[in-house]
Structure formats: C-alpha cells, structure tokens
Amino acid sequence: MKKLIGAFLGLAYLTLGYHAQAATADENEKEKIKGQEVAVITDAPNVPPPITRKFATKVLVNLEVKEQEARLADGVSYTFWTFGGKVPGKFIRIREGDLVEFHLNNHPDNKMPHNIDLHAVTGPGGGAASSLTAPGHSSVFSFKALNPGLYVYHCATAPVAMHVANGMYGLILVEPKEGMTKVDREYYVMQGDFYTQGKNGEQGLQPFSMSKAIDEKPDYVVFNGAAGSLTGENALQAKKGETVRLYVGVGGPNLTSSFHVIGEIFDTVYQEGHTSNPVKNVQTTLIPAGGASYMEFKVNVPGNYILVDHSLTRAFNKGALGMLKVVGDDNKLVYSGKTGDEVYLAEGASINANPDVKGSKAVAKNKDDRVKLGGNIYNTNCAACHQPSGAGIPQAFPPLAKSDYIAKDKAKAIKAVTGGLQGKLVVNGQEYNGVMPSWSLNDDEVANVLTYVYNNWGNSGLDVTPDDVKQHRVAASKNAAE
Amino acid sequence: MIKVSPRYCCTVLLAVVSSLILRSTASGGEISFIPAGNYAPFYTKEGSSSSEDKLIRVKAFLLDIHQVTNEEFRQFASSNEEWRRGNVSKLFADTHYLQHWGEEGKEFGPEEGNKPVVNVSWFAAQSYCESVGKRLPTTDEWEYVLNDMDRNKEAVHRAVMDWYAVPNRELPSLINRPKNGFGISDMVAVVWEWTNDFNNFMVRSDARDSGSKAAFCGGGSLNVTELDNYAAFMRYSYRSSLQGNFTGKNLGFRCAKDKE
C-alpha cells in the first residue's frame, strides 16, 4: 500500500516540504533514536510549534488527568474529566519514528481511575492496556510512532462512553518525516457531545445523564468543551492573505461532525488525518467520532467566518459554533459586499403580512375616512409595484389608474387583493402575465385601500365597504386571472 | 434484573426486621446482621446461561454499619506502631498513606474524627479489621449489601451519579446517617471502599478487551448483566485500578465478620 502511494507522489510533492520518499512503518520501527526532549503540549485552540529536527528522538509526554467543574454554557457548569485540565486534552506533537515515553498522572483528588488509548499507538488498546491508573498514581509506558497522521486519543476506562462524554479526548499529531508545509496559523478544534440531566440552558451544575447518552440525545454539541469557547473574544484570528491550518477532531462519544466553515472553501483537506494525498476544494468534510482531519485554506477576504457542524441544529441550538476573525483591507475583487437592495416579488402567490397595517386600530366610519386610511395602506403595500401614481409599470405591473379591469367591478378588485392573481391578464388593452401575491389584510383594510384606489387618479369613485369585502373575499391562491 | 419471588421477599423482610444491631466489644464500629440471600452480580460466571445460574448466593454475615472513622483508625495506629505514618513500609502503603491527617503527631478535631478514614491501603484496612476481630467483606458480600434486594434502586443509582458529578466534596461525619434496607449506611456516594478480593475480578486495564473471561469489550461487556449500570462499571474499574499498597483520598473501608 505504501508503495502505491509513490504513484501519487507528484501530488504529494506539492504539499510536503521535502521531497523524500514516505517512510514505511517498518523503517520507522528501526529508526535510531537520538537524544531526548520533553514534549511541548498545548491547550486548545493552540498547537505546539512544528517539529524542525530531522531525526527521531525520545519524547517525554507528561499528561495529568483532572476531574473538575467548569463552564459548559452560560450559567451552566459541568464536571469535566480532562487530560490536562481542559477539554479537549492537550495537543501532543511528535515526529514519525519518535519513541514516546508517556507518563499518565491521575490527580489524587480524582474519584476515578483513568487510562489512555492513543490511536497513534500500535499495540494492545493503544496504550490503554498499560495505563489504567488509580487516583493519586502515575503510569508509564512507551511506544514508537510508526505511522504519521493526526490521531485522537481518549480515555478507555469503563464505562468508556461516560469517560469520553465527560471530555476525555484530545489530538496527537505524528508529523511525517518530510515535515509539513509552512502555514501562517495553526489551530486546534475538537467537537464533543454532552449529556446533562437538565435541558439545554438549564442553569447550575448539571450532572451527566446516562440515559440521554445511551439514547444519543445530547443537550450540548460544542467545540472545545464549552459553548462560546471559540466566539467573541475567543474567536480564532487570522490576517487577510494568510494560510490557516485547522486540526479538527471529534471526541464524540457519539456524534460525527459535518465540519464546515461558513464562507470558506477548504483548499486542502487531509481526510481522516492522513498526511498524504489530500483532497482539494472541499466545502464540508465529515469527521467520524474518534477521528480527525486537518485542512488548510487561504483567507482572502476579511470578515467573520463561522465554524459549524453543518448538522445545523447542533450549531444553532446546541452550541457547535466557532468563529474565525480575519482582519485586513476589503477585497472587492473576490467578494463585493452588498451592492444593491431591491424589492423582490417572489414567484407564486404568497401571503404578505404587513405588521404596520395589521397593528393599526383606526376604524373608518365613512367613505372619506376610508380614502384617508387607505392611502397609508396603498403606499406601504401597493405603491412599490403599481406606483404611487397608480400608473403601474408597462409590461410588468398593470395600472390601477383608469383601469378597465376593476373599473365597475368591486368584486374583481376584492378577489385580486385577498386571493392574489396570477396568469394572463389584459388591462386597458395591454397584456400582463405576472403574479400578484395575496395580502393578509383584514376586511376594513381591504375596504380602505380599494376605496382609496377607486377615488384617485380619475377612477370611478366607488365606495368599498367592509361588508363588500366580507362578501367577495377569497382564500389565497384561489384566484386566477380571467 | 433480579426477580425475587414474593415468598422469598417476605422471608428477607422478616430477616431485616429482626436483624440484630450489635455493639462490638473490642472497638470497631456498630455492626449489623445481613441475612443470607441471592443477588445477580454485575459480572456473571463464564458460560452461565440461565438466569438462575447467574445468581450468587451470599451467606449470612455481619457488616459494619458505617465506614471506619479517622478516630477509630487513630486508635489502631497508635497501638500498632508499624501502621503509624512514619513507620509504614512502602510495600504496604504508598506515600499518600493518611496524608489527610496533616503532619505526624498532629491531632484532628472531633469533627474530623467522625469522618471516614481515607488514604489507607488494603494491607492497612485488613490489619485494622483483624485487630478488632473482623475481616474485610468480600466483593460479593459488599455488592449484595449495596444491591439491597433492589430496594430504592433508582435513588441509589442517582446518588452515585451525583456523587461523581461533584469533585472534592467535603466528607460527611458518619453520625446519624440514613440506612438502607439492611440497616447499613453509605455503601456508596461517600467514599470508595476496599473489599477483600478487590482485584479478583477480571476487569481488564483496557476496558474494551474482549478476549478473556468476564472482560469488558467495546465499552460494554458480553458478561455484564446491566449494560446501563454505569455506576457499577465505575466501581469495578476503580477496584481493578488498585493494588494492595495503594491509598486514595476517596478510598476508605468497613469491616465484616462471619456469623458465629
């Protein structure tokens, strides 16, 4: 399989910093270890610096498990079980071929035993078999990083789903020997689903709900352990023209992520976190629970870009929202901003409710009142198309001034306003073929506006009463032009 | 899970009503009689198929009503030199041993005295129980008492989950605590407790190993009776993370005794 990849190296060359042949797991197993260093590990959204050394070394990783109460959403707290004090756990960055000596420290205050399964490990349980650790104790095991890629790690102590649901996951990046392309910004984002005894938004400390977890019905789906951890002041930052790389993992325990950044197209996605053969020009990338991907894109236009799980109720109702703030001068060439705003009349008859009119309490007592009150209704609802002068617009909107269509027939006018009108229509010898929406106006309002129309622009002077409207009113979409 | 016939149920209730509250003579806490009975363990024996097979018979025995307290353990340590903080061998207790007592020789107040002793190893707990003519309960005995013939099952489960949800809660004084149907207090939701055979259950250190007897797999288990009993999963995995010389801030014990 690894050899087959050679066939695609043409593509890989474009993305890898060095034109070396990808190493095989066997070669990595044999690679000699030189020296020793302590891993730099970071809290999300930060990522440790890229690895610059060109040899394998022994890397010491110290990770402390802490059970602690923290904010899940505004006014809502939760007891998270964490790798390093935060959710997600610390980001670990090593190089393929490295020998990792892993120290898992379980804080004495903790109630639970914990362990760690790193998907980057080749061996039973991914380390879990060697790392079950009682509170107040520390376990040590080591592994050699045989395969490059971006991997999830998580706790695998029974009940596994609960340990993961409480936030016990993070990412470990095993850089390929060739290194990675240089980018301007790197960020660490991880999605997780949370199950609380109270409903979303219910205040106070919320205990874990086992039944909701088993039903896979989370109250919260969030990035980086809390609603709002990547918005407002916590938004990710970039400058126009920079290339951003996001390392995105899904801890779960249950949901996958349809990861998307609104207003951006990922130039490159390393699906499933592998380091070769990236795909290009991706809108939304699916990340499995217990999986990760990383993606790169150049930010060409300043503004706010929203990170979402495109399973959208998670984003808008459960917290899966983040923000990337791009600063810099406008780029009108790529994105113009709003250049116009016109009234848009949708195809097909639809109900147009008008709050200004609906709320009015004035009641007309006679024809004069109706003409007076009808003027406002006309200007708000009708003038945009039929024009303030009632002349309409040739070939688009028929005139109301001296209109033979409504001249002597109140019923026709009432039907047109209450039911809408569509299809071929001849007015004063001109043919029109358009759509008039039905208007959700009450009997008084229809009477007023039509009386206004009949008593202006040289029209017949008819008086339309609310009783007339009641008599001839039709339901929306039931009226066709004759 | 466990189906108890009405006749059996009555027998048990009678036994509970008539259970003796004994005052122990040697020191060590009050003790309550636990009638014999069956319970469905969280783990089942390999190869057991019928539900009858899965039940475990527990003989009648005696169990401390509450956990051993700081004061009770202080008396033990002062008359058994090898269990004083400065003297204890690392083979028998790790460095957290009695850490919550503060400096050696310092006395704790009466409020602390009535709280459960924690930071004690299995060896220390076993030794304490022997010193008062008792022993540690077996895991089956302990689980049988917690199971409490399925009385108040929901409430017990909820108490456990709520306990986990609040880290570093102050330990309560063990005076006038509510009792379960067996007359025993605080089986859960105060501290974890040592059992005599805490490490005899085949919980793998990787909870998803499916290969061996009674082991968990895929986050659940083929041999577990109640997959939705997360509280039990936690208890068993906690026990399996321990070794005899380990001590914990949330780990205490109580003693049991054979029925004479």
Side-chain angles (χ1 to χ4, degrees):
Chain A
M1 184 60 210
K2 289 269 156 68
K3 279 192 178 154
L4 272 179
I5 288 167
F8 299 105
L9 274 181
L11 183 57
Y13 283 165
L14 297 174
T15 54
L16 299 174
Y18 300 92
H19 295 191
Q21 191 83 21
T24 66
D26 282 347
E27 285 162 16
N28 289 333
E29 188 179 340
K30 285 174 201 136
E31 185 172 7
K32 248 182 95 181
I33 300 298
K34 278 188 259 177
Q36 168 172 323
E37 63 184 42
V38 176
V40 177
I41 54 179
T42 58
D43 284 323
N46 299 313
V47 176
I51 288 169
T52 50
R53 65 185 148 75
K54 303 282 182 279
F55 55 89
T57 194
K58 181 175 174 182
V59 182
L60 302 177
V61 177
N62 269 292
L63 199 52
E64 184 185 52
V65 178
K66 274 176 129 172
E67 298 163 7
Q68 58 188 27
E69 191 183 325
R71 178 187 168 280
L72 174 58
D74 288 336
V76 182
S77 62
Y78 189 81
T79 299
F80 294 95
W81 297 352
T82 69
F83 284 112
K86 292 243 168 87
V87 178
K90 302 272 187 187
F91 194 106
I92 304 166
R93 189 169 197 159
I94 57 171
R95 178 187 178 273
E96 71 176 304
D98 281 352
L99 177 68
V100 179
E101 185 179 294
F102 209 101
H103 296 251
L104 186 70
N105 311 311
N106 194 353
H107 196 281
D109 287 348
N110 293 345
K111 291 195 174 110
M112 294 294 148
H114 298 287
N115 63 5
I116 191 166
D117 167 355
L118 300 118
H119 292 176
V121 171
T122 307
S130 322
S131 61
L132 184 65
T133 310
H137 285 259
S138 163
S139 297
V140 186
F141 65 98
S142 61
F143 67 92
K144 206 153 196 297
L146 301 185
N147 304 72
L150 180 64
Y151 298 96
V152 167
Y153 66 78
H154 64 93
C155 184
T157 304
V160 182
M162 182 178 179
H163 283 254
V164 173
N166 285 345
M168 299 200 76
Y169 42 79
L171 291 179
I172 176 169
L173 173 65
V174 183
E175 279 200 28
K177 275 182 183 162
E178 307 80 23
M180 298 170 79
T181 45
K182 199 178 165 327
V183 292
D184 302 297
R185 308 267 180 172
E186 291 188 311
Y187 289 115
Y188 169 24
V189 177
M190 217 162 168
Q191 181 176 320
D193 26 310
F194 289 87
Y195 306 83
T196 55
Q197 284 184 2
K199 284 190 295 224
N200 181 301
E202 207 163 305
Q203 303 285 287
L205 176 65
Q206 291 294 330
F208 168 72
S209 166
M210 192 182 71
S211 58
K212 286 181 186 173
I214 291 172
D215 291 346
E216 303 188 19
K217 287 188 175 153
D219 300 279
Y220 297 89
V221 181
V222 297
F223 294 130
N224 291 356
S229 61
L230 289 176
T231 57
E233 284 179 3
N234 305 320
L236 305 177
Q237 309 279 342
K239 288 189 188 119
K240 188 181 113 182
E242 287 183 331
T243 301
V244 177
R245 180 185 287 141
L246 299 179
Y247 296 97
V248 185
V250 175
N254 296 320
L255 301 189
T256 58
S257 179
S258 303
F259 188 72
H260 178 80
V261 176
I262 299 174
E264 265 302 340
I265 296 155
F266 302 133
D267 297 330
T268 309
V269 175
Y270 295 79
Q271 287 174 325
E272 309 281 357
H274 68 65
T275 55
S276 51
N277 299 338
V279 290
K280 297 286 185 183
N281 303 325
V282 174
Q283 53 188 318
T284 301
T285 190
L286 189 66
I287 307 174
S293 291
Y294 60 102
M295 55 224 67
E296 296 156 359
F297 51 97
K298 189 175 173 188
V299 286
N300 308 87
V301 181
N304 291 335
Y305 295 85
I306 309 295
L307 285 59
V308 295
D309 178 341
H310 217 294
S311 297
L312 285 171
T313 55
R314 298 174 191 172
F316 291 94
N317 302 93
K318 296 181 176 178
L321 274 178
M323 188 186 283
L324 170 67
K325 219 173 239 178
V326 178
V327 295
D329 302 331
D330 284 350
N331 186 346
K332 298 282 192 197
L333 189 67
V334 176
Y335 184 73
S336 68
K338 190 165 185 168
T339 55
D341 188 336
E342 289 160 7
V343 167
Y344 171 67
L345 189 70
E347 298 251 335
S350 59
I351 305 273
N352 278 11
N354 192 315
D356 291 344
V357 175
K358 284 194 86 170
S360 72
K361 280 175 191 156
V363 176
K365 293 191 186 81
N366 52 40
K367 187 176 166 187
D368 284 351
D369 282 358
R370 279 192 275 280
V371 172
K372 211 164 137 195
L373 291 170
N376 281 337
I377 300 171
Y378 182 84
N379 289 327
T380 321
N381 299 292
C382 319
C385 299
H386 295 291
Q387 301 301 299
S389 64
I393 291 176
Q395 275 116 53
F397 307 115
L400 299 177
K402 299 191 183 75
S403 160
D404 60 1
Y405 184 79
I406 59 168
K408 295 271 187 278
D409 193 344
K410 287 198 257 188
K412 251 181 165 176
I414 292 166
K415 282 174 183 159
V417 172
T418 55
L421 206 53
Q422 58 185 319
K424 227 176 249 180
L425 180 71
V426 179
V427 181
N428 298 346
Q430 294 293 315
E431 191 175 289
Y432 296 86
N433 193 354
V435 176
M436 166 148 160
S438 62
W439 297 88
S440 120
L441 299 171
N442 65 30
D443 293 346
D444 284 312
E445 290 160 346
V446 175
N448 294 347
V449 76
L450 285 177
T451 306
Y452 172 82
V453 167
Y454 279 117
N455 289 276
N456 273 292
W457 318 310
N459 280 345
S460 58
L462 289 175
D463 184 12
V464 180
T465 66
D467 282 342
D468 294 334
V469 178
K470 201 167 281 165
Q471 193 188 335
H472 298 294
R473 169 184 282 284
V474 293
S477 309
K478 290 279 164 65
N479 199 23
E482 289 150 19
Chain B
M1 61 179 253
I2 181 169
K3 293 279 179 278
V4 184
S5 74
R7 192 175 57 85
Y8 180 71
C9 202
C10 290
T11 319
V12 168
L13 284 175
L14 278 176
V16 171
V17 170
S18 63
S19 70
L20 301 169
I21 306 275
L22 304 175
R23 229 171 233 292
S24 70
T25 46
S27 93
E30 286 178 81
I31 204 160
S32 181
F33 174 75
I34 310 295
N38 293 332
Y39 89 107
F42 185 58
Y43 281 94
T44 53
K45 288 169 280 182
E46 196 178 23
S48 60
S49 49
S50 72
S51 56
E52 205 48 36
D53 268 5
K54 288 175 180 154
L55 294 180
I56 283 189
R57 179 82 184 157
V58 175
K59 283 194 241 167
F61 68 108
L62 303 161
L63 187 67
D64 284 354
I65 289 170
H66 59 71
Q67 291 106 356
V68 173
T69 64
N70 280 316
E71 177 54 27
E72 288 162 347
F73 200 84
R74 190 191 60 75
Q75 289 173 18
F76 162 74
S78 64
S79 52
N80 294 275
E81 251 182 38
E82 71 275 23
W83 290 110
R84 287 189 198 152
R85 271 171 291 170
N87 298 346
V88 73
S89 160
K90 293 290 163 281
L91 286 175
F92 300 126
D94 67 23
T95 51
H96 299 305
Y97 180 67
L98 297 178
Q99 198 178 41
H100 64 294
W101 285 6
E103 282 168 46
E104 177 94 55
K106 211 178 115 194
E107 287 290 316
F108 42 75
E111 270 176 39
E112 293 300 310
N114 286 325
K115 290 179 181 176
V117 67
V118 292
N119 288 320
V120 283
S121 65
W122 178 87
F123 294 105
Q126 189 72 312
S127 217
Y128 172 93
C129 291
E130 278 171 25
S131 77
V132 292
K134 298 179 190 169
R135 58 173 173 81
L136 283 173
T138 65
T139 302
D140 277 335
E141 286 170 339
W142 194 96
E143 290 282 331
Y144 170 66
V145 174
L146 171 66
N147 183 262
D148 195 21
M149 313 309 297
D150 285 338
R151 290 171 287 224
N152 287 317
K153 201 172 164 184
E154 287 301 311
V156 168
H157 189 83
R158 174 59 78 94
V160 173
M161 299 308 269
D162 288 351
W163 180 59
Y164 299 131
V166 182
N168 293 316
R169 207 197 302 249
E170 188 80 358
L171 292 177
S173 159
L174 296 180
I175 293 169
N176 294 328
R177 299 290 293 172
K179 296 181 169 68
N180 74 3
F182 286 129
I184 302 292
S185 297
D186 300 316
M187 288 302 285
V188 287
V190 173
V191 289
W192 298 107
E193 293 181 23
W194 284 109
T195 57
N196 189 47
D197 53 347
F198 67 94
N199 55 1
N200 277 7
F201 291 80
M202 299 289 287
V203 180
R204 310 294 298 194
S205 52
D206 178 352
R208 304 150 302 168
D209 192 332
S210 60
S212 41
K213 181 185 163 196
F216 288 85
C217 78
S221 170
L222 297 173
N223 294 56
V224 161
T225 50
E226 286 180 289
L227 282 175
D228 61 352
N229 191 344
Y230 280 17
F233 272 109
M234 289 187 270
R235 217 158 47 240
Y236 279 82
S237 61
Y238 181 81
R239 286 188 193 121
S240 65
S241 76
L242 299 174
Q243 292 174 28
N245 68 333
F246 281 20
T247 70
K249 202 181 152 178
N250 292 300
L251 176 58
F253 70 102
R254 72 180 80 214
C255 304
K257 199 175 180 179
D258 291 336
K259 202 189 78 167
E260 275 131 27

